[in-house]
């Protein structure tokens, strides 16, 4: 079906950008002697719906369009962007970016040809094309379900965010690629109150999917999860402090892997020698139970892409195999430096920013243990169920993660819920301490956004149940 | 200024178009900006980025149904789409009895808007070559400071300038403009055990001429990186914690989110129902002041057109007020504190301006000297804060304080305590306030927190 939302620069748009026009701009970009140039056209429309206190309180729609021009000369990048897709304005941007190169010969004119790519998005009904009243109804269902679930729920809000990002990338290596990237995110938050104590719970999901998403994961499902979490946390007690065994629940715990290992395997840090994984390819960097992949091909996942923001087709890249480091996530620049094939991990937030090696869907693959056996093996420890987010120091792998839902494990059983707990440790160290791995690999429902150098991109994470023999738990109860 | 006049004209036209299309309230904000960012790594240029941008945000109400729209496409077609989308969405949203524009009698007039000296007319003239030279000087100072500095994440010099206007159907018309120049230097050192330690330091000013010398920024970045060498975990314990100005302002930022009127009516703040009671130690006075000349968060009027004013939020430990826009004020039956902030995408919510913990009388050195044993925190990691309960637990790094002196570096520990208790246990506030950031704090000490380590 045709969408109401189509880029003006699309083939059938009012002002199409074709190979001929692109070639002219690339010639301007390279006229000062740059080694490589690309054009990144982007048209992004997003919508937001905020349901709060029983009504759709506000709705919004946001349109952003422009062209980013990049010119590379050696390790240096010139970048300029314009929001006005008038030829003279685009030419000015190309000239500005070209300045990074000075001298040298202008290369011969560039020839570009259209490339096609596989389809990894699962969209029947693009959310943006569906009547707003239907989306309002989905939010209302979540609100009603959450309120009805438990009398202790005192506040509910729900939100839906939708996006279509249409891109056209043309490179001086001859690529001419178009892609339309949909994105959907639904979330519910509930606040429970009892005896003067108050706790919140939340649940969300989505991905590169259409509104069919709700056939498998209903608004009521997310409402129920948010309520369950808020109610469970009402009984939360102070968490222990100190080093102990930790079991990570499947799915969302993959965010720990994303932070603790993933970022250090982005090739730019390794090209610069500032990652703790620099020079470690071929070495044992994790327990032999661990195989880690970055997989852009998962159907409909939030981090999946048909083509990266440098016109390359990403696949599933094995980063760590049975504990041995196999390679990094590359963009064009780092791949040229390491003299390897680019892995299609060059991503950027928008036409306003230059690409960098970024993760897509980062997964720790399944092991052989049953999740029940893993919990049963812990005498005293913490079961980490939901994470609020995390952060890592790339240079040495030190990380911190915040749990939004965690439990004590006592004598092999999950017992009391714990108040705001942090896990703190070192990525490579923790990966060596993975002592059991479940057979229950889960990919997180799509909620995660990764930030790097001020640029945000949607990502996916996933893992099975994981047992780590020792991590520092940052609670308040000593001893 | 011609630029401001052009933006005002766009905003006037959009407000008129929205009203004509049926909006009972229409508020348009138009922004334009220019920036140059240059990065040097290991003394070679790595990035030169230059661009100009414009954006248009609209909030409309049809009765009490609200919608917001945004576009970067300021062409006539783009503006028409913006207005059409806003009206379509307003009809979809449902009547909110508290929605509405601010009371017209509270709107400020242009002649009341003070000049806060936030604009440096020379900023845009700075060329890429000059910016690259400053970035290179900063990095060079760090690289040559000590042989243990072995690598660099680079050095970035940026300049930015911009202007914005707000026009509302209630009769408000206001303009503002600002500039910013900054330098950040990020060296890397090799530790004895093969671990890498990265550190950084930065400077930023509204006026180019007032920016710290690039070499001094680089040298400080090197010192901050080197002092982390040899950092280790310490055993879990409870002890006093001293927050340096960087981490202290991060704690202050958590409090800012909890005094935000929007968090209060959303029942998402542990400070709900606490007005007039003690929420911090008597040493704590916190002021939100938009009227400080040249400061990062200064503005003459708020996002709804109300005249900016200084607001004492916490006075000697007592919570005096929440920060309110007119919506939060109506929800809570209070008066707006002129704290409305209008995001680039058109939405309005309360926010801080320059949110400052007032300095004490003692020097940082005296504060440390009066701390026999404790943890001096210079970095925090992670997001371990629950605003609903105040529970706080974050990763931390810094130094052990022994006999009033910083001794060995510490990393990979967490510090935990409920924020309410953290603020109540502040037993010393130093005088080293630097308004480099909009949320700013001097060094302070908390009498005891749980440290989780080995």
């Amino acid at each position: 079906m045709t969408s109401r939302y189509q880029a003006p620069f699309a083939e059938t748009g009012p002002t199409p950008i074709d190979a001929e026009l692109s070639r002219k701009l690339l010639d301007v970009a390279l006229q000062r002697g740059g080694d490589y140039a690309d054009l990144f056209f982007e048209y992004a429309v997003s919508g937001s719906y905020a349901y709060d206190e029983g009504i759709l309180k506000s709705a919004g729609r946001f349109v952003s369009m422009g062209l980013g021009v990049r010119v590379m000369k050696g390790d240096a990048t010139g970048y300029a962007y314009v929001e006005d897709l008038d030829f003279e304005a685009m030419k000015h941007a190309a000239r500005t970016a070209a300045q990074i190169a000075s001298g040298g010969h202008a290369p011969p004119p560039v020839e570009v040809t259209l490339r096609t790519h596989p389809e990894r998005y699962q969209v029947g009904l693009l959310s943006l094309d569906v009547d707003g009243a239907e989306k309002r109804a989905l939010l209302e269902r979540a609100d009603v379900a959450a309120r009805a679930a438990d009398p202790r729920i005192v506040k509910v809000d729900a939100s839906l965010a939708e996006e279509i990002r249409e891109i056209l990338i043309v490179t001086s290596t001859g690529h001419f690629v178009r892609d339309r990237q949909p994105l959907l995110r639904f979330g519910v938050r509930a606040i429970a109150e009892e005896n003067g104590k108050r706790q919140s719970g939340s649940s969300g999901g989505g991905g590169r999917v259409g509104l069919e998403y709700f056939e498998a994961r209903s608004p009521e499902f997310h409402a129920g999860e948010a309520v369950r979490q808020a109610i469970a946390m009402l009984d939360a007690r102070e968490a222990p402090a100190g080093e102990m065994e930790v079991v990570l629940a499947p799915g969302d715990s993959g965010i720990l892997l994303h932070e603790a290992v993933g970022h250090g395997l982005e090739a730019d840090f390794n090209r610069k020698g500032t990652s703790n994984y620099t020079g470690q390819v071929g070495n044992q960097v994790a327990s032999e139970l661990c195989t880690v992949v970055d997989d852009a091909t998962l159907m409909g996942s939030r981090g999946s892409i048909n083509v990266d923001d440098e016109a390359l087709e990403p696949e599933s890249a094995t980063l760590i195999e049975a504990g041995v480091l196999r390679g990094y996530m590359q963009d064009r620049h780092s791949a040229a430096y390491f003299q390897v094939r680019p892995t299609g991990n060059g991503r950027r937030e928008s036409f306003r920013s230059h690409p960098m090696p970024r993760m897509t869907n980062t997964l720790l693959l399944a092991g052989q243990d049953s999740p029940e056996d893993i919990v049963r093996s812990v005498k005293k420890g913490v079961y980490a169920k939901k994470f609020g987010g995390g952060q890592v120091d790339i240079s040495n792998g030190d990380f911190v993660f915040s749990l939004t839902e965690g439990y004590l494990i006592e004598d092999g059983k999950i017992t009391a819920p714990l108040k705001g707990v942090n896990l703190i440790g070192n990525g490579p160290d923790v990966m060596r301490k993975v002592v059991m791995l479940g057979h229950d690999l889960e990919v997180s429902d799509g909620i995660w956004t990764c930030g790097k150098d001020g640029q945000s991109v949607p990502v996916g994470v996933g893992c099975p149940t994981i047992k780590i023999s020792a991590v520092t738990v940052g609670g308040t109860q000593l001893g | 200024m011609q630029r401001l006049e052009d933006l005002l004209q766009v905003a006037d036209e959009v407000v008129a178009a929205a009203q004509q299309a049926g909006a009972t309230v229409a508020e348009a904000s138009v922004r334009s900006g220019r920036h140059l960012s240059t990065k040097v790594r290991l003394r070679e240029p790595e990035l030169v980025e230059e661009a100009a941008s414009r954006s248009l945000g609209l909030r409309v109400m049809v009765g009490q149904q609200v919608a917001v729209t945004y576009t970067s496409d300021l062409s006539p077609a783009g503006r028409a789409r913006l207005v059409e989308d806003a009206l379509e969405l307003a009809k979809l949203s449902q009547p909110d009895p508290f929605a509405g524009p601010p009371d017209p009698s509270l709107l400020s007039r242009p002649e009341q808007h003070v000049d806060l000296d936030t604009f440096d007319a020379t900023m845009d003239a700075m060329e890429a070559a000059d910016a690259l030279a400053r970035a290179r000087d900063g990095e060079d100072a760090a690289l040559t400071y000590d042989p243990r500095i072995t690598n660099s994440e680079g050095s970035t010099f940026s300049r930015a300038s911009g202007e914005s206007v707000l026009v509302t159907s209630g009769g408000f018309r206001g303009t503002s403009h600002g500039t910013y120049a900054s330098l950040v230097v990020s060296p890397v050192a090799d530790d004895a055990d093969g671990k890498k330690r990265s550190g950084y330091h930065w400077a930023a000013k509204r006026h180019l001429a007032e920016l710290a010398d690039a070499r001094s920024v680089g040298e400080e970045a090197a010192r901050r990186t080197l002092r982390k060498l040899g950092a280790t975990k310490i055993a879990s314990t409870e002890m006093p914690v001293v927050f340096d100005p960087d981490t202290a302002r991060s704690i202050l930022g958590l409090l800012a989110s909890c005094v935000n009127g929007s968090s209060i009516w959303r029942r998402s703040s542990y400070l709900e129902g606490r007005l007039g009671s003690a929420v911090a130690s008597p040493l704590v006075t916190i002021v939100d002041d938009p009227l400080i000349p040249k400061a990062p968060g200064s503005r003459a009027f708020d996002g709804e057109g109300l005249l900016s004013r200084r607001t004492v939020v916490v006075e000697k430990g007592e919570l005096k007020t929440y920060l309110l826009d007119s919506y939060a004020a109506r929800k809570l039956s209070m008066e707006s504190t002129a704290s409305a902030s209008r995001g680039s995408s058109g939405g309005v919510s309360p926010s801080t301006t320059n949110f400052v913990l007032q300095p004490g009388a003692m020097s940082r050195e005296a504060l440390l000297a009066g701390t026999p044993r404790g943890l001096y925190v210079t970095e925090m990691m992670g997001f371990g804060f629950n605003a609903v309960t105040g529970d706080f637990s974050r990763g931390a790094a810094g130094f052990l304080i022994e006999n009033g002196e910083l001794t060995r570096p510490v990393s990979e520990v967490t510090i935990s305590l409920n924020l309410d208790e953290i603020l109540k246990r502040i037993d010393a506030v130093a005088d080293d306030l630097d308004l480099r950031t909009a949320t700013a704090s001097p060094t302070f000490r908390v009498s005891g927190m749980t440290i989780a380590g080995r």
Side-chain angles (χ1 to χ4, degrees):
Chain A
M1 102 184 219
T2 55
S3 173
R4 177 180 170 201
Y5 297 91
Q6 187 188 37
F9 55 76
E11 251 173 308
T12 53
T15 52
I17 301 280
D18 58 15
E20 177 59 24
L21 181 70
S22 306
R23 200 185 56 76
K24 280 186 196 152
L25 290 170
L26 285 171
D27 288 346
V28 173
L30 291 173
Q31 69 190 3
R32 302 279 298 267
D35 306 326
Y36 168 86
D38 58 27
L39 310 174
F40 184 83
F41 296 90
E42 181 186 48
Y43 167 79
V45 181
S46 57
S48 75
Y49 302 83
Y51 202 92
D52 195 359
E53 299 185 306
I55 56 170
L56 181 70
K57 220 173 236 192
S58 180
R61 194 170 295 149
F62 317 104
V63 178
S64 179
M65 183 175 72
L67 161 68
V69 183
R70 174 170 66 149
V71 177
M72 303 200 65
K73 176 79 176 175
D75 280 338
T77 301
Y79 201 83
Y81 63 81
V82 277
E83 288 157 344
D84 189 351
L85 297 188
D86 159 83
F87 185 71
E88 284 309 311
M90 294 194 288
K91 212 161 95 181
H92 177 75
R95 260 195 227 107
T96 305
Q99 288 174 53
I100 195 74
S102 54
H105 298 287
V110 174
E111 288 308 323
V112 298
T113 46
L114 179 68
R115 310 282 171 114
T116 55
H117 46 70
E119 179 61 43
R120 294 162 179 172
Y121 316 137
Q122 273 179 325
V123 177
L125 282 174
L126 180 68
S127 179
L128 269 161
D129 282 325
V130 174
D131 185 61
E134 280 187 44
K135 289 170 270 192
R136 187 175 67 194
L138 291 166
L139 292 161
E140 188 182 350
R141 277 168 58 188
D143 179 75
V144 167
R147 280 170 201 283
D150 195 295
R152 289 168 288 180
I153 296 299
V154 296
K155 177 98 180 50
V156 178
D157 54 71
S159 65
L160 186 147
E162 57 191 3
E163 185 184 60
I164 185 76
R165 178 198 199 219
E166 185 161 348
I167 55 176
L168 164 62
I169 314 162
V170 192
T171 72
S172 63
T173 51
H175 289 69
F176 183 96
V177 180
R178 297 181 189 273
D179 196 21
R180 275 170 62 86
Q181 304 174 337
L183 199 60
L184 180 70
R185 191 185 193 283
F186 185 80
V188 183
R189 197 180 65 125
I191 295 179
E193 200 172 66
E194 185 178 45
N195 302 330
K197 278 191 291 188
R198 197 183 289 173
Q199 282 287 358
S200 68
S202 61
S203 178
R208 300 206 183 274
V209 290
L211 282 187
E212 304 83 12
Y213 168 82
F214 294 100
E215 291 164 16
R217 276 278 159 98
S218 65
E220 288 80 7
F221 168 84
H222 286 299
E225 264 299 290
V227 168
R228 184 197 59 71
Q229 193 188 355
I231 298 290
M233 297 312 285
L234 280 174
D235 293 325
R237 63 165 85 152
E238 297 289 333
E243 243 175 41
M244 61 195 72
E245 292 184 322
V246 169
V247 176
L248 307 175
D252 275 338
S253 304
I255 191 63
L256 191 139
L257 183 84
H258 168 105
E259 292 292 340
V261 186
H263 280 295
L265 296 177
E266 291 167 341
D268 48 347
F269 299 115
N270 292 287
R271 173 175 64 79
K272 298 172 187 177
T274 54
S275 163
N276 57 297
Y277 288 110
T278 302
Q280 300 277 327
V281 174
N283 293 355
Q284 190 83 29
V285 296
S287 135
E288 57 188 30
L289 295 174
C290 297
T291 292
V292 178
V293 300
D294 187 75
D295 186 354
T297 71
L298 298 178
M299 276 305 286
S301 181
R302 186 169 162 91
S304 298
I305 42 177
N306 294 333
V307 60
D308 80 353
D309 296 331
E310 297 185 301
L312 296 170
E313 187 184 318
E315 289 162 13
S316 177
T318 302
L319 305 172
I320 295 172
E321 188 176 9
V324 177
L325 181 59
R326 291 299 180 205
Y328 305 123
M329 287 168 276
Q330 309 279 355
D331 63 2
R332 283 181 181 269
H333 183 193
S334 64
Y337 173 87
F338 285 107
Q339 300 187 320
V340 295
R341 245 163 48 109
T343 56
N345 286 91
R347 304 182 65 189
R348 48 181 135 194
E349 180 178 279
S350 76
F351 69 90
R352 297 185 180 87
S353 15
H354 60 95
M356 295 183 277
R358 302 295 297 262
M359 285 173 259
T360 62
N361 304 297
T362 313
L363 313 175
L364 174 60
L365 300 185
Q368 317 247 313
D369 297 303
S370 88
E372 297 76 23
D373 286 348
I374 295 177
V375 172
R376 212 173 291 141
S377 73
V378 176
K379 179 136 184 60
K380 188 198 172 200
V382 164
Y383 185 76
K385 185 155 170 142
K386 292 257 178 190
F387 287 86
Q391 198 181 341
V392 67
D393 180 340
I394 304 292
S395 66
N396 52 40
D398 288 352
F399 66 73
V400 178
F401 289 89
S402 313
L403 290 185
T404 48
E405 188 180 357
Y407 296 84
L408 208 56
I409 305 178
E410 293 166 302
D411 296 322
K413 290 196 184 73
I414 293 173
T415 58
L418 298 172
K419 278 190 186 173
V421 193
N422 268 334
L423 300 182
I424 180 159
N426 177 267
D429 179 51
V430 158
M431 291 303 284
R432 288 190 184 93
K433 289 179 176 163
V434 171
V435 290
M436 292 177 86
L437 207 53
H439 52 59
D440 54 343
L441 170 65
E442 250 182 55
V443 178
S444 166
D445 203 349
I447 54 168
W448 297 100
T449 295
C450 169
K452 175 175 170 183
D453 274 3
Q455 291 193 43
S456 295
V457 296
V459 294
V461 301
C463 64
T465 301
I466 304 168
K467 178 178 170 183
I468 300 165
S469 60
V471 186
T472 299
V473 174
T476 54
Q477 298 304 104
L478 294 171
Chain B
M1 284 186 60
Q2 189 52 44
R3 269 196 194 112
L4 287 170
E5 287 306 317
D6 291 347
L7 299 187
L8 275 173
Q9 196 187 335
V10 173
D12 285 337
E13 285 173 19
V14 167
V15 166
Q19 285 181 294
Q20 200 153 29
T24 47
V25 174
E27 304 164 333
S29 63
V30 193
R31 299 172 194 214
S32 65
R34 298 153 297 287
H35 84 270
L36 168 70
S37 181
T38 63
K39 184 172 182 183
V40 165
R41 184 172 168 268
L42 299 177
R43 300 185 177 90
E44 294 295 326
E46 185 173 89
L47 176 69
V48 173
E49 182 184 305
E50 200 169 354
S53 59
R54 293 188 301 179
S55 71
L56 169 55
L58 174 65
R59 179 169 76 158
V60 301
M61 295 177 206
V62 175
Q64 289 181 306
Q65 293 166 265
V66 185
V68 295
T69 49
Y70 161 94
T71 186
S72 67
D73 177 6
L74 269 65
S75 69
R79 291 184 219 176
R81 180 67 179 272
L82 177 92
V83 171
E84 187 189 321
D85 280 359
L87 270 297
E88 175 205 317
L89 292 170
K91 284 163 196 157
L92 182 69
S93 67
Q94 294 162 312
D96 179 352
F98 298 93
D103 180 344
S105 70
L106 296 177
L107 293 177
S108 57
R109 295 180 308 279
E111 62 271 24
Q112 292 174 291
H113 298 160
V114 289
D115 180 3
L116 293 163
D117 201 7
T118 52
F119 191 81
D120 177 352
T122 69
M123 192 67 82
D124 285 345
M126 182 185 226
E127 301 272 356
D130 187 5
L132 279 169
R134 289 176 190 240
R136 194 180 289 117
D137 284 351
E139 193 198 42
D140 182 69
L143 290 172
T144 53
Y145 186 81
D146 188 294
R148 290 172 297 168
I149 300 286
T150 52
N151 203 339
S152 169
E153 287 272 18
S155 169
T156 302
F157 187 96
S158 305
R159 65 155 163 84
S161 61
E163 43 283 311
S164 70
V165 304
L166 173 64
V167 171
T168 73
S169 55
F172 178 82
R173 284 176 104 233
T175 65
S176 62
H177 58 175
T179 48
Y180 225 59
S182 67
L183 172 66
V184 54
V185 182
S186 311
V188 177
D190 274 327
D191 215 333
D193 59 359
K195 229 180 174 184
K196 291 180 185 12
R197 303 283 178 185
S198 62
Y200 66 94
H201 186 59
W202 60 279
K205 285 286 179 192
R206 293 285 200 174
H207 294 254
L208 199 51
E210 293 175 16
L211 194 70
D213 166 62
R215 297 203 71 87
S216 72
V217 175
E219 284 166 10
E220 180 60 22
R223 280 192 290 273
R224 284 173 179 249
T225 305
L226 292 168
R227 70 184 185 179
K228 295 164 78 172
L229 292 175
T232 52
K233 264 190 205 191
I234 53 172
S236 299
T237 182
E238 175 162 340
M239 64 178 164
V241 173
V242 176
F243 290 94
D244 82 347
D246 282 337
T247 52
R249 78 176 147 83
S250 170
I251 298 283
L252 200 60
L254 300 179
L255 178 75
S257 68
C258 295
V259 298
N260 187 305
S262 167
S263 307
I264 302 300
W265 71 254
R266 286 174 194 278
R267 315 205 62 186
S268 306
S269 166
Y270 78 96
L271 290 174
E272 183 187 334
R274 296 278 295 276
L275 279 183
S277 73
V279 299
S281 119
L283 297 175
V284 174
T285 292
I286 299 166
V287 177
D288 189 66
D289 190 352
L291 299 173
I292 304 171
K294 298 183 182 178
S298 297
R299 63 185 186 200
F301 56 89
D302 85 344
E304 292 182 298
L306 275 62
L307 196 63
S308 287
R309 73 189 79 151
R310 185 176 185 271
T311 303
V312 178
V313 178
V314 175
E315 187 170 25
K316 294 183 175 140
E318 184 189 323
L319 181 61
K320 305 299 278 188
T321 183
Y322 300 124
L323 293 175
L324 305 165
D325 61 0
S326 58
Y327 183 81
R330 278 191 292 269
K331 290 287 283 183
L332 299 169
S333 306
M334 295 175 182
E335 300 278 311
S336 170
T337 55
S339 297
S341 167
R342 187 173 295 263
S344 61
S345 54
V348 176
S349 60
S351 82
T352 54
T353 59
N354 298 299
F355 191 70
V356 181
L357 174 64
Q358 302 301 298
M362 73 168 64
S363 68
R364 168 185 171 276
E365 290 67 30
L367 186 152
L368 286 173
T371 311
R373 186 174 164 77
L375 182 67
Y376 180 70
V377 176
T378 56
E379 287 175 58
M380 290 198 290
M381 281 176 82
F383 309 95
F385 177 65
N386 181 340
V388 177
T389 59
D391 289 337
F392 171 92
S393 168
R394 290 183 80 180
F399 302 86
L400 199 61
I401 308 169
E402 293 171 299
N403 301 317
E405 283 180 26
L406 302 185
T407 54
R408 59 195 180 88
V410 174
S411 68
E412 271 192 77
V413 298
T414 66
I415 51 175
S416 307
L417 186 68
N418 189 282
L419 182 61
D420 202 30
E421 271 302 305
I422 291 177
L423 297 171
K424 284 178 177 164
R425 290 190 195 178
I426 291 177
D427 65 356
V429 178
D431 63 1
D432 55 345
L433 178 69
D434 177 5
L435 276 173
R436 197 169 48 147
T437 48
T439 297
S441 172
T443 300
F444 64 72
R445 182 177 64 208
V446 176
S447 62
M449 293 181 74
T450 305
I451 320 285
R454 264 186 290 112

